[in-house]
Each structure stands twice: as C-alpha cells, then as structure tokens.
Amino acid sequence: MIDLVNFNSVIRVTENTVTIGAGMMVATMFSTLSSMGRTMPNNGGPQVNTVAGTTQTNTHGTGETGGHSTWVEAVRLIDSVGAIFEIDSGNPELLRAVKTGPGVMGVITQITVGTVPLFQLREGTETIPVYTFFNSR
C-alpha cells in the first residue's frame, strides 16, 4: 500500500489553478483555496478523502458542473517502474486517461486543478409531490 500523507503541500498557484500534493485532504484544499479567495466549482461529498482520491473516483457534488476530475488540468504520475510523467493538455488523450482511473496508470503525486473565485452557496429545501417533480423536467 502506498501512503501519500506527506504529499500534502501547495506547490504552485496561478490566477486560475492550484497545484497540490495528491495526498492533500479535500477539506485542507478547500480551506487553503478559501484563504486565497478561490474554490472549486463544485464540492462533492466527504472532506476526509484525498484530492487525488476524489479525482480518481470522479466524486461529484450538486449541480451540473461535473465531478472533481472535470477540473484536472495536469498531473505528475509515477509508473510501476519509477518513471515520472508530467501529463497536461499538451497530451489531451493521456490526460483524459489519467484523470479518472483508480491507479491503473500509476501513482499520482501532484495534481493541478482549475479554480474559480470563492462563492457562497445558499441551501433551499421544499417538499413537492413526486409527480410534480417528474412533470417539471
């Protein structure tokens, strides 16, 4: 088993991206981004997962903004023989292949994700008859 607990730092920040260690916990990533006035377009589920874990399983949240792998712009990957690969939009087919896929291509050690300006969500709840819901779609 590989433990990425020490791969948890912010490596690089640009206006619209952040590169972080793949072992960073999702809660830490959101807290770090928030302190920079940034966030991800969607937050899916448990905050105790690693960023690489949520991208590899394409964890998703609410809305139609896609899962966590949607925002992956680059990864650093180590394959089974120890070769290191920097994969980004220069090789879109390979990037698509490594965005989601629980470790089959190798171990992701760094991940660059797109970010958006920090925003606030407002939760709203209402009860409606099931037939009303299905007829409104």
Side-chain angles (χ1 to χ4, degrees):
M1 184 161 150
I2 299 172
D3 187 353
L4 295 175
V5 69
N6 293 320
F7 289 75
N8 61 7
S9 61
V10 174
I11 298 159
R12 184 175 45 257
V13 177
T14 70
E15 184 178 348
N16 296 314
T17 67
V18 63
T19 302
I20 55 180
M24 182 179 280
M25 301 304 262
V26 172
T28 304
M29 178 190 67
F30 275 104
S31 175
T32 302
L33 289 174
S34 178
S35 71
M36 295 185 282
R38 306 294 295 173
T39 191
M40 288 179 66
N42 199 337
N43 178 16
Q47 300 289 304
V48 296
N49 294 333
T50 64
V51 174
T54 62
T55 61
Q56 289 297 282
T57 59
N58 199 23
T59 299
H60 59 86
T62 60
E64 297 178 4
T65 58
H68 281 201
S69 68
T70 306
W71 312 303
V72 173
E73 297 193 9
V75 299
R76 176 179 285 171
L77 179 133
I78 302 174
D79 73 6
S80 62
V81 296
I84 299 172
F85 297 89
E86 303 283 342
I87 304 165
D88 59 23
S89 60
N91 191 337
E93 289 180 7
L94 187 54
L95 181 60
R96 218 175 10 259
V98 299
K99 279 183 172 187
T100 305
V104 298
M105 301 286 283
V107 176
I108 293 176
T109 60
Q110 287 182 13
I111 189 161
T112 301
V113 294
T115 64
V116 297
L118 188 62
F119 59 89
Q120 297 292 318
L121 289 178
R122 185 182 66 195
E123 180 179 359
T125 305
E126 67 179 290
T127 302
I128 61 173
V130 69
Y131 63 84
T132 302
F133 172 77
F134 285 111
N135 288 331
S136 69
R137 298 229 154 216

